């Protein structure tokens, strides 16, 4: 009996909940697979998809967002072996699953921790609460390919932002496979959009895009490129998360700065009286 | 209309020196270059004093003084002692509040009743508020051991000179940073009097440094490699340039920039209260307010009634001598700003909006602009899009709440917004949808040291005031 011929997978982009090839028709050979080489146009399309998803996702209840992030953890747990087969160390997969669970729990707590009533000196009700900034562009860290990626996506979306992520160019298979997890986790299409290819091609477009509200430069290792992207981001005053130090410990407690940098604080006043 | 006899506040309480040096390392010093500029009273064009102009060398000297003070004195000092210095400063401000208020009105042109009743109480309150944080930082919610950043470069505008100084210096010092602050070139005097207050408080030398000058001085300060933090309040254009200049550095940045706030009036709002809110929203401080309610969005069904009432109210506004206690609207801060207000107002007329001002006698000398409203404004008009920063209101109408949200958010800015309606659920529905950092419902232009202030979108980032205001000065 002959050995079964395996069915191979085509690794594509993840935009608006769908898996298109790059509009440019290009791919690049990496990790023994032909992976879509995203173009500037793909980056712009991803921003359109992310913007379209903001209203529904930011408007969803915090409870609902938490449920969906937890569902991502469940789906990832089920596909544990698949990531291991891609070369992701088992303890990294476990840490990535646990990170989804950790962030899932933040959805309905951060407003209480980061907002609150302000005791103003007058007869006014005064309340500050955080809100998502909108569309966030993210340059994912080169490595760890899965834990790093999850650690930049989850804090952005748990509060109601939508993201366009440029995945690690050298190890994109974990990113595309994570997209398959997200697509089966009740996450609305467009909340997470993933581009594979060269950072130098997609990220400058995202940094200069006038409909992007914030940029996370975590994965930009080249200091000169990072500075140039920050300059581009200044055009519409994007909120900026600067590159992570090379020795950043992705397994440590992430803290809340990743979430709070991508939030706006809104303060509402109303007089008290009869 | 009632006739009011003049009720001028006395100038005798202030003692303006003929010239002022830079405040560096605890002492007033002459600038290296010897350059200077004049600060004038915008209500009379009288020269108030000759002010030293800091060059790059002076800025460097100030930053080094701040660094030394940070490393040797202020950084290692226990929080409870930093708190006591800040409490001392707050008390000194209260004790000298009349002097500061009069000086502010002389240098800035704002009515004495505003500098006396709004600016100064808020300045003192701000120092009191942050004084109390200095020894409680581990409880502020930023982790168990938040640390200061180091030297903060702070550049402030001319519209609320002393209040903006307080918003910058109080949280920076409470968090354990030292500062180099540049006041606006048209309003340096209260900052220099504040420097004297620091001396009177025996604040250690170098903790607060004040460098006076114009744009070049500010640029030298924010671009200085020795600063760890940049905080700026001013125009979006300059804010953008600063964001570019700190790119690729370690400097933490907060920006509080321009605005074009919508003040939304629904048909069920109490009209008289709403009209007071509209007037306060746009004519407070001559409209030199980044969060001014400069776009009135009024529901179509009550537009005529609101406008009629608004015009009647505007006719009662007293424009004139800032030191007169009856004055509602003082002088425009500078000839340059007056030119900008005139240019944009002319563009409003040229683009087809209808202009109206009450009959209003303006003083002959000084810089003045009558309170003005434009009706028939469309969203494409420059006066609906650009920040005028003067007593000029653009009136637009809407029919449905959804349309009000659409129009209110149709701006690159996102600093503030106002809502006037009797329906609570509508306030909360609308407040959720307005992309603005401060939403005033059935009130406007209220400020408090405990209440975070700052913008969405191109109105900047970071918050000043409250617990949130500490974040920009800590390594979190």
């Amino acid at each position: 009996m002959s050995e079964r011929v395996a069915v191979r997978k085509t690794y594509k982009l993840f935009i608006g909940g769908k898996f298109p090839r790059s509009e440019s028709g290009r791919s690049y050979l990496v990790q023994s697979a032909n992976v879509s080489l995203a173009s500037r146009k793909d980056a712009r399309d991803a921003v359109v998809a992310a913007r379209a998803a903001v209203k529904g996702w930011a408007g969803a209840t915090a409870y609902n967002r938490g449920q969906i992030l937890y569902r991502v953890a469940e789906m990832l747990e089920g596909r544990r072996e698949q990531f291991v087969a891609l070369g992701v160390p088992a303890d990294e997969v476990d840490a990535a699953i646990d990170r989804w669970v950790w962030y899932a729990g933040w959805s309905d707590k951060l407003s209480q921790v980061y907002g609150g009533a302000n005791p103003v000196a007058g007869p006014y009700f005064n309340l500050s609460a955080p809100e998502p900034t909108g569309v966030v562009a993210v340059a994912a860290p080169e490595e760890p390919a899965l834990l790093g990626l999850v650690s930049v996506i989850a804090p952005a979306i748990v509060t109601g932002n939508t993201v366009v992520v440029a995945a690690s160019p050298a190890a994109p298979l974990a990113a595309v496979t994570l997209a398959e997890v997200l697509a089966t986790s009740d996450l609305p299409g467009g909340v997470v959009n993933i581009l594979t290819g060269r950072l130098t091609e997609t990220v400058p477009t995202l940094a200069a895009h006038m409909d992007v509200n914030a940029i996370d430069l975590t994965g930009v290792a080249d200091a000169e490129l990072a500075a140039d992207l920050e300059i581009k981001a200044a055009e519409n005053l994007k909120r900026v998360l600067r590159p992570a130090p090379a020795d950043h410990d992705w397994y440590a407690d992430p803290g809340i700065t990743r979430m709070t940098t991508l939030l706006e604080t809104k303060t509402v006043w109303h007089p008290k009286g009869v | 209309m009632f006739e009011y006899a003049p009720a001028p506040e006395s100038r005798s309480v202030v003692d303006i020196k003929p010239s002022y040096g830079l405040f560096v390392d605890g002492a007033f010093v002459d600038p290296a270059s010897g350059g200077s500029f004049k600060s004038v009273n915008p209500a009379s064009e009288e020269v108030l004093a000759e002010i030293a102009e800091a060059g790059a060398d002076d800025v460097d000297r100030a930053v080094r003084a701040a660094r030394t003070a940070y490393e040797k004195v202020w950084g290692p000092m226990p929080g409870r002692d930093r708190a006591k210095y800040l409490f001392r400063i707050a008390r000194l401000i209260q004790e000298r509040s009349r002097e500061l208020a009069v000086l502010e009105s002389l240098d800035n042109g704002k009515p004495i009743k505003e500098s006396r009743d709004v600016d100064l109480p808020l300045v003192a309150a701000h120092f009191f508020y942050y004084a109390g944080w200095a020894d409680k930082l581990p409880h502020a919610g930023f982790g168990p051991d938040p640390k200061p950043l180091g030297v903060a470069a702070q550049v402030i505008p001319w519209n609320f000179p002393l209040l903006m100084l307080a918003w910058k210096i109080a949280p920076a010092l409470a968090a354990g940073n030292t500062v180099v602050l540049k006041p606006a070139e048209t309003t340096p005097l209260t900052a220099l009097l504040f420097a004297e207050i620091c001396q009177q408080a025996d604040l250690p030398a170098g903790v607060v440094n004040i460098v006076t000058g114009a744009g070049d001085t500010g640029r030298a300060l924010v671009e200085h490699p020795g600063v760890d933090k940049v905080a700026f309040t001013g125009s979006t254009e300059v804010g953008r340039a600063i964001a570019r200049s700190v790119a690729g550095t370690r400097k933490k940045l907060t920006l509080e920039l321009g605005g074009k706030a919508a003040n939304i009036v629904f048909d069920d709002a109490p009209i008289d209260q709403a009209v007071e809110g509209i007037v306060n929203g746009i004519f407070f401080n001559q409209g030199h307010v980044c969060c001014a309610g400069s776009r009135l969005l009024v529901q179509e069904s009550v537009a005529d009634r609101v406008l009629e009432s608004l015009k009647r109210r505007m006719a009662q506004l007293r424009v004139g001598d800032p030191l007169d206690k009856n004055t509602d609207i003082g002088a425009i801060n500078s000839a340059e700003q007056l030119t900008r207000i005139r240019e944009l107002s002319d563009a409003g007329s040229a683009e087809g909006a209808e202009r109206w001002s009450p009959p209003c006698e303006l003083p002959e000398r000084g810089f003045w602009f009558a309170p003005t409203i434009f009706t028939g404004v469309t969203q494409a008009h420059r006066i609906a899009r650009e920040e005028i920063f003067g007593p000029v209101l653009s009136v637009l109408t809407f029919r449905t709440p959804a349309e009000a949200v659409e129009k209110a958010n149709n701006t690159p800015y996102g600093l503030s917004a106002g809502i006037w309606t009797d329906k609570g659920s509508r306030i909360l529905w609308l407040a959720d949808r307005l992309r603005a950092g401060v939403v005033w419902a059935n009130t406007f232009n209220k400020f408090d040291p405990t209440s975070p202030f700052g913008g969405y979108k191109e109105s900047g980032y970071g918050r000043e005031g409250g617990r949130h205001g500490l974040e920009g000065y800590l390594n979190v």
Side-chain angles (χ1 to χ4, degrees):
Chain A
M1 221 167 83
S2 64
E3 218 172 285
R4 180 173 177 274
V5 175
V7 178
R8 288 184 184 169
K9 183 156 83 184
T10 310
Y11 289 93
K12 296 191 286 187
L13 308 176
F14 184 49
I15 297 175
K18 296 189 167 64
F19 290 89
R21 289 191 179 82
S22 169
E23 61 81 35
S24 66
R26 303 173 307 168
S27 65
Y28 70 117
L29 186 61
V30 61
Q31 294 180 291
S32 309
N34 289 318
V35 173
S36 286
L37 184 57
S39 66
R40 290 174 296 184
K41 175 75 163 76
D42 291 321
R44 293 197 298 272
D45 289 347
V47 172
V48 172
R51 174 59 63 194
V54 165
K55 195 176 176 190
W57 185 241
T61 64
Y63 180 56
N64 182 229
R65 285 198 301 269
Q67 294 272 298
I68 290 173
L69 261 68
Y70 186 76
R71 179 75 176 158
V72 175
E74 290 180 343
M75 292 296 103
L76 192 52
E77 179 86 32
R79 292 195 188 221
R80 218 174 151 278
E81 297 314 316
Q82 199 177 344
F83 284 91
V84 172
L86 287 174
V88 181
D91 61 344
E92 186 190 329
V93 183
D94 293 344
I97 295 165
D98 293 353
R99 189 131 300 167
W100 280 112
V101 174
W102 191 75
Y103 276 115
W106 268 117
S107 70
D108 49 8
K109 294 163 193 71
L110 195 64
S111 291
Q112 290 177 316
V113 169
Y114 200 62
N118 306 307
V120 296
Y124 294 92
F125 166 88
N126 179 298
L127 190 83
S128 291
E131 289 187 348
T133 189
V135 175
V136 180
V138 183
E142 190 77 18
E143 58 177 11
L146 179 63
L147 179 61
L149 184 66
V150 169
S151 300
V152 292
I153 293 176
I157 66 170
V158 65
T159 55
N161 295 297
T162 66
V163 295
V164 177
V165 187
S168 164
L173 298 194
V176 183
T177 308
L178 181 69
E180 294 161 15
V181 170
L182 299 173
T184 52
S185 301
D186 300 329
L187 190 74
V191 173
V192 175
N193 305 274
I194 298 180
L195 304 171
T196 49
R198 303 184 193 105
L199 292 189
T200 49
E201 206 164 355
T202 52
V203 183
T205 298
L206 298 170
H209 201 296
M210 293 297 277
D211 204 24
V212 170
N213 300 90
I215 187 159
D216 175 356
L217 300 175
T218 296
V220 182
D222 175 353
E224 213 169 299
L225 174 63
D228 178 59
L229 294 169
E230 201 177 332
I231 289 169
K232 285 188 166 68
E235 186 58 31
N236 67 338
L237 293 160
K238 289 180 185 69
R239 288 73 180 116
V240 177
L241 266 165
R242 289 196 176 128
D247 60 353
H248 181 77
D249 179 7
W250 291 101
Y251 289 84
D253 181 330
I256 64 168
T257 310
R258 288 201 157 270
M259 291 185 283
T260 56
T261 305
L262 305 176
L263 292 171
E264 310 290 338
T265 292
K266 178 182 283 176
T267 300
V268 179
W269 292 68
H270 196 279
K272 294 175 182 174
V274 291
Chain B
M1 184 175 168
F2 293 115
E3 290 297 323
Y4 283 82
E9 177 67 52
S10 168
R11 279 181 69 154
S12 65
V13 66
V14 298
D15 175 23
I16 303 176
K17 299 181 178 69
S19 68
Y20 288 87
L22 310 170
F23 185 65
V24 176
D25 207 12
F28 284 93
V29 298
D30 291 330
S33 65
S36 70
F37 60 99
K38 294 174 173 60
S39 193
V40 304
N41 178 344
S44 64
E45 299 177 56
E46 158 205 8
V47 174
L48 293 169
E50 194 85 27
I51 312 293
E53 183 176 18
D57 291 346
D58 304 305
V59 167
D60 181 58
R61 192 172 162 194
V63 171
R64 279 188 287 117
R67 172 66 56 192
T68 304
Y70 173 68
E71 287 171 358
K72 300 261 182 327
V73 186
W74 199 248
M77 185 184 286
R80 65 167 188 277
D81 291 342
R82 289 204 311 273
K84 285 181 196 163
Y85 281 111
L86 289 168
F87 279 122
R88 257 191 210 174
I89 289 171
R91 271 285 185 254
L92 285 164
I93 288 166
Q94 286 182 318
E95 288 160 12
R96 301 180 70 173
S97 69
R98 185 57 57 93
E99 183 185 355
L100 286 160
V102 172
L103 187 61
E104 193 79 305
S105 281
L106 281 171
D107 204 18
N108 168 279
K110 65 173 67 197
I112 186 69
K113 75 175 178 192
E114 287 177 11
S115 51
R116 183 194 62 200
D117 298 345
V118 180
D119 295 47
L120 261 298
L122 281 171
V123 170
H126 221 82
F127 277 97
F128 273 114
Y129 177 76
Y130 280 106
W133 268 125
D135 55 359
K136 299 170 191 67
L137 298 175
H139 305 287
F142 304 111
D145 192 21
K147 297 283 185 216
L149 298 167
V151 175
Q154 307 181 314
V155 177
I156 57 170
W158 45 260
N159 57 341
F160 293 92
L162 196 61
L163 184 57
M164 292 300 102
L165 174 148
W167 282 25
K168 295 283 178 288
I169 292 183
L173 263 48
N177 305 274
T178 56
V179 307
V180 180
L181 176 131
K182 188 197 86 70
E185 66 268 31
T186 61
T187 55
L189 292 181
T190 46
L192 294 164
L193 183 51
F194 177 81
E196 292 179 24
I197 287 174
C198 291
Q199 289 179 323
Q200 208 180 353
D202 287 329
L203 185 73
V207 172
V208 168
N209 303 274
I210 311 272
V211 291
T212 41
D216 287 343
T217 307
R219 199 170 304 118
L221 178 56
V222 303
E223 292 181 4
H224 194 289
V227 308
D228 306 285
K229 158 77 189 179
V230 173
F232 171 74
T233 296
S235 73
T236 290
E237 187 191 347
V238 175
R240 236 192 287 279
I242 292 174
R244 288 190 192 107
S245 80
V246 305
T249 70
R250 68 176 187 286
K251 296 173 190 171
K252 193 167 182 172
L253 178 64
T254 43
L255 298 170
E256 202 270 90
L257 309 175
K260 193 73 192 176
N263 203 357
I264 306 167
V265 178
F266 283 92
D267 58 6
D268 65 339
I271 300 286
D272 288 350
Q273 285 176 30
V275 165
E276 281 309 304
I278 295 164
V279 167
N280 177 37
I282 187 61
F283 301 125
F284 173 63
N285 205 39
Q286 298 72 247
H288 300 329
V289 184
C290 47
C291 53
S294 54
R295 285 183 299 150
L296 172 63
L297 298 185
V298 57
Q299 199 155 21
E300 208 175 81
S301 48
V302 288
D304 290 346
R305 269 178 63 207
V306 169
L307 282 171
E308 186 193 328
S309 192
L310 175 62
K311 287 177 176 175
R312 199 180 324 122
R313 179 68 183 87
M314 283 171 67
Q316 314 294 315
L317 294 171
R318 291 175 295 272
V319 184
D321 181 8
L323 285 189
D324 191 316
K325 291 172 221 171
N326 293 323
T327 294
D328 296 306
I329 298 182
I332 299 302
N333 181 251
S334 66
E336 191 191 354
Q337 185 56 28
L338 181 58
T339 304
R340 171 156 177 85
I341 296 167
R342 283 181 176 153
E343 193 238 317
L344 273 164
S345 299
D346 290 346
S349 302
E351 288 184 332
E354 193 181 326
R355 178 175 181 161
W356 183 88
S357 289
C360 180
E361 215 170 291
L362 300 176
E364 271 172 32
R365 289 188 64 79
F367 315 125
W368 305 93
F369 198 89
T372 299
I373 57 172
F374 280 95
T375 50
V377 178
T378 75
Q379 295 187 84
H381 286 161
R382 282 184 69 194
I383 54 169
R385 309 205 63 82
E386 296 178 35
E387 185 175 40
I388 300 173
F389 224 64
V392 181
L393 179 68
S394 300
V395 183
L396 298 93
T397 59
F398 68 92
R399 288 183 181 175
T400 64
E403 188 188 351
V405 170
E406 197 68 35
K407 285 184 169 168
N409 288 338
N410 184 13
T411 165
Y413 295 114
L415 191 51
S416 66
I419 306 169
W420 297 85
T421 172
D422 250 2
K423 192 174 176 189
S425 58
R426 183 187 279 157
I427 291 172
L428 298 177
W429 181 90
L430 211 67
D432 268 354
R433 283 159 182 77
L434 293 171
R435 301 285 290 164
V438 184
V439 176
W440 286 295
N442 292 325
T443 184
F444 209 94
N445 272 345
K446 290 288 179 291
F447 309 94
D448 192 275
T450 68
S451 179
F453 183 93
Y456 283 43
K457 302 194 277 185
E458 294 183 29
S459 290
Y461 38 75
R463 291 293 177 269
E464 296 186 295
R467 187 182 70 80
H468 293 72
L470 291 168
E471 191 175 356
Y473 292 98
L474 293 169
N475 69 338
V476 293

